[in-house]
Amino acid sequence: MTSRRDAVRALAGIAALPLFRTLSAEELVEVGRRAHTLAELREPGAPRALTAAEYAIVSQAAERVIPRTATPGATDARVAAFVDVMLADWYDSADRERFKAGLRELDDSARKLAGHGFVKMRPRQQVEMLETLDRELQIRRQAREAGADDHWFAMLKHLTVWGYYTSRPGITQELGVQLVAGRYDGNARY
């Protein structure tokens, strides 16, 4: 079984921004935990960095990256709220704007393809669009193209995985990690 630490170490290996590449696995977990705490304090549907429409796109895209199966999906883990907190509190304005421009590009592509925005597409169509973006990103990475890891879709994938695996559902139900500390014995021999 994969431990949360192993999952976050793997996440650290695919960090999308240089700032996050400098953080240890433990620090990534802590930043994720704090972001989830802030996201939980916010009223659902009241994003800070994203518009309501962008938030809906992130929510749908994240659910296609990590869909609900026998375990919770990205929506259950409130990944869109996590992404919003990270964009508002950790990303600089240039990175945030690049991400938001990518969401607009995705929505515009959906309108050309299906006649309506990404959120209203059938799930299978959404998956196909995201798989196309993923293939394009992999080609850019294989070609060692400058800025491939800074692409907005790389940011979305990174934040989705990070948000999911540092969320309570991701930790407890997907990874099977027990969050309750072990037994306390005040009279334990030392």
Side-chain angles (χ1 to χ4, degrees):
M1 181 185 319
T2 303
S3 73
R4 178 176 81 169
R5 203 172 295 262
D6 292 337
V8 176
R9 267 195 199 99
L11 175 63
I14 61 166
L17 292 174
L19 167 68
F20 297 117
R21 288 186 189 124
T22 64
L23 299 178
S24 69
E26 290 77 18
E27 290 167 326
L28 282 170
V29 170
E30 182 60 20
V31 169
R33 186 190 65 74
R34 287 183 184 179
H36 279 289
T37 299
L38 289 172
E40 289 169 8
L41 295 174
R42 303 208 72 56
E43 184 177 324
R48 292 174 33 216
L50 300 168
T51 66
E54 291 165 340
Y55 187 92
I57 293 169
V58 169
S59 183
Q60 288 290 309
E63 185 66 22
R64 300 305 157 244
V65 172
I66 302 179
R68 180 183 296 141
T69 57
T71 56
T75 303
D76 301 311
R78 297 194 63 217
V79 167
F82 174 87
V83 170
D84 185 62
V85 167
M86 294 304 295
L87 289 172
D89 294 345
W90 279 85
Y91 284 65
D92 65 27
S93 60
D95 292 327
R96 191 171 33 253
E97 287 310 311
R98 184 174 61 250
F99 184 83
K100 292 169 66 108
L103 294 177
R104 285 189 298 274
E105 179 184 308
L106 177 66
D107 209 40
D108 290 344
S109 295
R111 288 182 201 294
K112 289 175 187 170
L113 182 69
H116 45 76
F118 183 79
V119 172
K120 292 189 178 187
M121 293 179 85
R122 291 191 310 270
R124 185 70 217 143
Q125 291 175 303
Q126 292 174 335
V127 168
E128 288 170 1
M129 286 191 75
L130 296 176
E131 285 175 344
T132 298
L133 284 169
D134 196 41
R135 281 190 300 275
E136 291 170 1
L137 180 59
Q138 292 308 316
I139 290 168
R140 293 177 73 177
R141 285 179 170 159
Q142 289 170 353
R144 301 199 189 284
E145 188 176 311
D149 286 337
D150 294 334
H151 189 274
W152 78 270
F153 186 67
M155 292 168 62
L156 174 70
K157 283 179 56 176
H158 169 73
L159 288 168
T160 298
V161 172
W162 188 6
Y164 183 77
Y165 283 105
T166 56
S167 72
R168 181 171 292 278
I171 294 166
T172 61
Q173 295 176 46
E174 175 76 20
L175 297 176
V177 175
Q178 185 180 19
L179 292 179
V180 178
R183 181 178 70 88
Y184 173 74
D185 184 351
N187 292 322
R189 300 183 96 202
Y190 58 94

